[in-house]
Amino acid sequence: MAGYILRRVLGIIPVLLGISLLVFTLIRTIPGDFAIIALGERSTPEQRAALTKRLKLDRPLFLNFEGGNVFDSQYISFITNFVQGDFGDSLKNQRAISKELGERFPATIELSLVSLLIAVVLGVSAGVISAMRRGSWLDASTMLIALLGVSMPIFWLGLMMQYLFGVNLKWLPLSQRLDDELRRTFTPITNMYVLDGLLRGRLDITLNALKHLILPSVALATVPLAIIARMTRSAMLEVLSQDFIRTARAKGLRERTTIIRHGLRNALIPVATVIGLQLGFLLGGAVLTESVFGWPGIGTWLLQGILSRDYFVVQSGVMFVALVFVVVNTIVDISYGFFDPRIQYK
Amino acid sequence: MATTAQPGTDRTDPTVGGLGRKPRSLWSDARRRLFSSTVGRIGMAICSFLIAIAIITPLVKPLDTTLNRDTPNKLRQPSWLMSDEELVTAGEVSGDRTRNDAPWTTFERPFGTDQLGRDLFIRVLHGAPISLTVGMAAVLLSVFFGSLLGLAAGFIGGVFDTVSTWVMDIMLAFPSILLAIALTAISNDPRSFSYALGEKISNMPILGAIFDTPLFNAMIAVAIVEIPIFGRIARAAVISLRGQEYVTAAEALGVKKIRILFRHILPNSLTPILVQMTLSIATAITSVAALGFLGLGAQPPRPEWGSMLSTARDYVGTGQWWYALFPGVAIMLTVLGFNLLGDGLRDALDPRLKA
């Protein structure tokens, strides 16, 4: 087991290295002069040359064969700085990327966690209920809704919910994380506003942040919710037909205990796999959801970075997201052993 | 393929093999299962309906993005929701002189009109050939390159396998929409090969009605992002089939490796590829629409559903819900159709996988 974990953790390194190469190459292939981006159209060629020199972007991209140190290249600097936690500054507004990450990443995490919570709680319950009432109208309609959910373009669902609950019924705010007047009176700690409100003893902040979270998180949760519901149902159906369920019933256990303790626990293993896979979807889906709801998270930031060719934002930002993504996936993989002791690691 | 009965041979004996019926091939069995499953039937119905629309619409009413504007009737709600007076007014103010101010009928503009007074119903219909072609073309590209890569990786093995698996893993470790966005941003440079190709294609007679250059680039980006999915499936199939007895038998007979790969291994790995293809068309259509929504795909006035939503977005806050509703329903219906068809195909081709 320890050997397996070690091998998995070491296995992250080549993947991250590959991702860094891919990101670095991609962002530098996007055409456009970074100096013009940073300094504006009206800058003089001298100014641009000076900036290029200052940011050391006049060095070779991957390996330096022009004499001196072979490793004195842009890519190697990017990697060594990244490993040391130095992410550089944005070309566009000269803000420190680590600072921006510190504000935007918690926003995305807050959104993704709430979405995941909605998807898991509703998805697993819907799946279990469907499996218990197999063939009933409840089962049929749940699965029909799940089917529609899988096929839903989330950016469109977001727009429709904005119209219905924001414009028409005026129940919920259309965008942003907090009402403007509240935002001005409040200094965040972790930048997860729901949590910060509790930490600062400001219940109004927590409630307002939750209100702002409802629409984007439901939109983001829809597809994972549908997938989890379908997966739970089929896993439950398979488990419920097994001998140990019949034994549990035969020895007179209450139906609820049979379903939850004996059925659901065993059905959760494939469901956990699916949940793990959905984490990646949540990060990707965040780009679209954040864009619809003006959510100041990492998705919109990277989108702007790519479109404005902000080299440093994109390479450090994407690397950071990829790092989180790969680490989470590895943890999910390793944790199967705890869910299911039958899994043998080789 | 269905076996053709030859007169005078045992094949005509309906009880051959003790089945009590004619023997059926794998494919005809699968076809029967597909046609008898509800999921498969609904999927096929939706897909055929959409394909029919995609073929008929441009033939009956060729797309004209400039002429059918009716500015006085801009942003009208669906005509079946309008009162009689509104229908009369709409007819009177209409810029269409040939109507002689006749009031609108209840189904004059069933999906309402957009900010230029264009008929959204017609525009949504014209989105069907675009999205279907783009989705299918993207998937064909990724199937071609992906399975080639996967077959080669699984068959050659060694360093080539290690490196290509590494590259595929890296691409899959990326949120796919981010990768597609970055690729689109690269290919939208006039100096890129993809841009030049897209430009050529957008000037061709029939394809030009479907693709503009950014849309073509978005399609290429989506195709590239999906390559590793097919690469993995093909590679897994090769590896699992390589040890099969019929492959060993072919090797023992001295059949050339390349022939074994294409005659024995490829046909037997088609099932998962085919199922994934159908499901991937759905993903590709959503992805291209998402890129269009972000302003990176098709550009207005091309009636691509995603780029229509991108414009419609500005009118959601002011209450013109119908502008965003119908293109989105169209995307959802298409994705649903291909998802159902994919599920049906999977159940039909490989009953063991039945979910």
Side-chain angles (χ1 to χ4, degrees):
Chain A
M1 182 76 187
Y4 172 79
I5 294 180
L6 185 69
R7 218 148 10 90
R8 284 306 308 259
V9 172
L10 289 179
I12 292 181
I13 296 170
V15 173
L16 285 179
L17 219 55
I19 292 177
S20 69
L21 268 172
L22 183 68
V23 177
F24 183 83
T25 318
L26 277 182
I27 188 65
R28 263 143 231 272
T29 322
I30 295 181
D33 187 347
F34 75 91
I36 298 182
I37 296 155
L39 298 169
E41 293 280 356
R42 274 187 279 170
S43 55
T44 62
E46 290 76 34
Q47 286 172 319
R48 292 179 202 164
L51 182 77
T52 313
K53 200 152 185 66
R54 187 168 64 75
L55 295 174
K56 295 188 178 169
L57 288 174
D58 49 355
R59 291 178 297 168
L61 285 181
F62 294 101
L63 285 175
N64 191 343
F65 294 116
E66 295 165 4
N69 189 350
V70 181
F71 297 114
D72 185 22
S73 72
Q74 295 187 36
Y75 173 71
I76 304 283
S77 297
F78 157 51
I79 294 299
T80 45
N81 290 340
F82 186 86
V83 172
Q84 292 166 15
D86 175 7
F87 296 170
D89 298 338
S90 156
L91 281 173
K92 213 156 179 140
N93 54 17
Q94 279 75 47
R95 286 196 67 192
I97 287 169
S98 49
K99 192 156 181 282
E100 192 108 13
L101 260 179
E103 281 168 22
R104 289 179 171 264
F105 191 62
T108 300
I109 290 293
E110 188 174 52
L111 177 62
S112 306
L113 282 181
V114 175
S115 301
L116 192 65
L117 191 74
I118 296 175
V120 171
V121 171
L122 291 184
V124 170
S125 336
V128 170
I129 293 170
S130 258
M132 285 166 65
R133 304 255 184 284
R134 184 185 192 175
S136 69
W137 65 268
L138 191 68
D139 177 26
S141 46
T142 313
M143 284 305 115
L144 185 69
I145 294 171
L147 197 60
L148 290 178
V150 186
S151 314
M152 195 87 74
I154 51 174
F155 49 98
W156 172 70
L157 179 68
L159 285 181
M160 288 290 110
M161 291 200 312
Q162 270 183 328
Y163 171 74
L164 186 60
F165 298 106
V167 178
N168 195 337
L169 298 169
K170 297 195 176 24
W171 288 350
L172 293 167
L174 284 180
S175 62
Q176 295 302 325
R177 300 181 66 192
L178 279 179
D179 289 350
D180 280 342
E181 54 268 35
L182 277 176
R183 181 71 194 77
R184 265 181 248 120
T185 65
F186 159 77
T187 327
I189 308 169
T190 61
N191 277 311
M192 295 201 224
Y193 290 172
V194 176
L195 189 66
D196 285 353
L198 294 176
L199 289 177
R200 288 228 186 269
R202 292 276 305 270
L203 211 60
D204 55 331
I205 295 281
T206 302
L207 289 178
N208 192 264
L210 280 174
K211 218 170 147 186
H212 282 260
L213 262 168
I214 295 177
L215 289 185
S217 58
V218 169
L220 187 53
T222 309
V223 175
L225 167 66
I227 294 176
I228 291 172
R230 282 164 50 132
M231 192 69 214
T232 309
R233 177 178 179 270
S234 68
M236 276 301 277
L237 284 180
E238 181 147 356
V239 169
L240 289 182
S241 66
Q242 298 213 345
D243 289 343
F244 61 83
I245 295 290
R246 192 161 1 113
T247 312
R249 286 196 175 122
K251 73 183 183 186
L253 282 184
R254 275 186 311 168
E255 185 65 13
R256 212 177 60 194
T257 320
T258 315
I259 297 284
I260 306 280
R261 289 272 295 278
H262 295 246
L264 186 59
R265 265 184 79 167
N266 284 293
L268 274 184
I269 296 156
V271 175
T273 316
V274 175
I275 294 174
L277 290 174
Q278 292 313 308
L279 290 171
F281 173 86
L282 286 175
L283 279 174
V287 178
L288 291 166
T289 316
E290 287 178 4
S291 156
V292 171
F293 289 97
W295 193 260
I298 212 158
T300 39
W301 185 50
L302 289 180
L303 179 64
Q304 287 157 12
I306 291 175
L307 296 182
S308 64
R309 295 149 186 124
D310 198 330
Y311 291 166
F312 300 119
V313 164
V314 175
Q315 66 192 30
S316 300
V318 173
M319 244 348 256
F320 185 76
V321 172
L323 178 73
V324 173
F325 184 51
V326 174
V327 168
V328 168
N329 271 349
T330 311
I331 294 173
V332 171
D333 263 10
I334 294 173
S335 67
Y336 294 147
F338 296 101
F339 287 120
D340 187 358
R342 287 170 305 185
I343 293 177
Q344 294 289 314
Y345 291 109
K346 281 181 282 181
Chain B
M1 296 304 112
T3 43
T4 36
Q6 290 168 8
T9 67
D10 279 342
R11 289 258 167 111
T12 51
D13 180 1
T15 57
V16 77
L19 283 168
R21 59 168 166 78
K22 272 195 229 169
R24 283 197 298 261
S25 73
L26 170 78
W27 291 101
S28 71
D29 248 358
R31 201 169 51 232
R32 286 171 65 99
R33 276 198 293 266
L34 181 63
F35 275 98
S36 63
S37 85
T38 321
V39 170
R41 271 199 302 226
I42 299 176
M44 277 189 295
I46 297 179
C47 290
S48 339
F49 171 68
L50 289 164
I51 290 171
I53 288 183
I55 295 173
I56 294 169
T57 313
L59 293 179
V60 173
K61 203 170 169 73
L63 179 64
D64 186 343
T65 50
T66 50
L67 279 181
N68 59 1
R69 292 178 186 175
D70 185 10
T71 333
N73 280 319
K74 66 178 180 188
L75 295 171
R76 292 261 186 219
Q77 59 176 331
S79 48
W80 43 272
L81 288 171
M82 290 161 77
S83 66
D84 286 345
E85 297 96 86
E86 283 174 315
L87 289 173
V88 172
T89 328
E92 280 169 1
V93 299
S94 168
D96 185 358
R97 294 273 162 262
T98 56
R99 299 180 44 90
N100 286 327
D101 294 349
W104 277 12
T105 57
T106 322
F107 292 102
E108 189 83 29
R109 297 283 183 269
F111 290 0
T113 64
D114 68 5
Q115 80 282 12
L116 296 170
R118 291 174 296 195
D119 186 348
L120 277 172
F121 177 64
I122 298 289
R123 286 183 61 79
V124 168
L125 289 188
H126 273 289
I130 298 180
S131 282
L132 290 179
T133 316
V134 170
M136 289 182 195
V139 170
L140 283 180
L141 282 175
S142 38
V143 168
F144 181 77
F145 289 106
S147 12
L148 216 57
L149 187 69
L151 287 178
F155 209 68
I156 299 172
V159 181
F160 181 74
D161 184 26
T162 316
V163 172
S164 61
T165 311
W166 180 59
V167 173
M168 290 194 277
D169 278 351
I170 288 162
M171 287 175 74
L172 289 172
F174 237 66
S176 60
I177 188 82
L178 271 184
L179 191 56
I181 290 170
L183 289 171
T184 320
I186 294 172
S187 56
N188 261 335
D189 175 36
R191 284 167 295 177
S192 79
F193 171 69
S194 161
Y195 191 92
L197 192 63
E199 200 127 82
K200 241 180 224 143
I201 283 181
S202 64
N203 286 325
M204 283 166 141
I206 294 173
L207 288 175
I210 305 239
F211 291 106
D212 58 12
T213 313
L215 177 62
F216 180 79
N217 290 328
M219 179 201 76
I220 298 287
V222 170
I224 294 177
V225 171
E226 300 244 321
I227 284 179
I229 299 175
F230 291 100
R232 277 198 158 181
I233 296 177
R235 179 176 173 275
V238 176
I239 288 175
S240 74
L241 291 176
R242 220 170 27 187
Q244 296 279 317
E245 276 140 6
Y246 61 84
V247 175
T248 319
E251 275 169 358
L253 284 171
V255 181
K256 277 205 198 98
K257 283 207 163 183
I258 197 87
R259 192 180 158 83
I260 295 181
L261 188 60
F262 286 102
R263 286 297 297 270
H264 297 271
I265 292 184
L266 183 63
N268 283 298
S269 52
L270 273 183
T271 309
I273 293 181
L274 198 65
V275 172
Q276 184 58 46
M277 265 177 80
T278 321
L279 298 173
S280 277
I281 291 178
T283 327
I285 288 176
T286 336
S287 304
V288 172
L291 289 172
F293 177 72
L294 294 173
L296 294 166
Q299 301 298 315
R302 196 163 296 261
E304 196 268 331
W305 293 329
S307 78
M308 285 171 79
L309 280 176
S310 175
T311 320
R313 190 181 171 173
D314 297 339
Y315 298 95
V316 164
T318 49
Q320 279 93 12
W321 52 269
W322 58 90
Y323 197 168
L325 178 72
F326 295 107
V329 171
I331 300 176
M332 193 172 86
L333 188 68
T334 315
V335 173
L336 181 69
F338 282 101
N339 273 339
L340 287 174
L341 185 61
D343 282 357
L345 267 179
R346 186 190 50 211
D347 297 350
L349 288 169
D350 197 347
R352 282 169 307 169
L353 293 174
K354 193 160 183 141

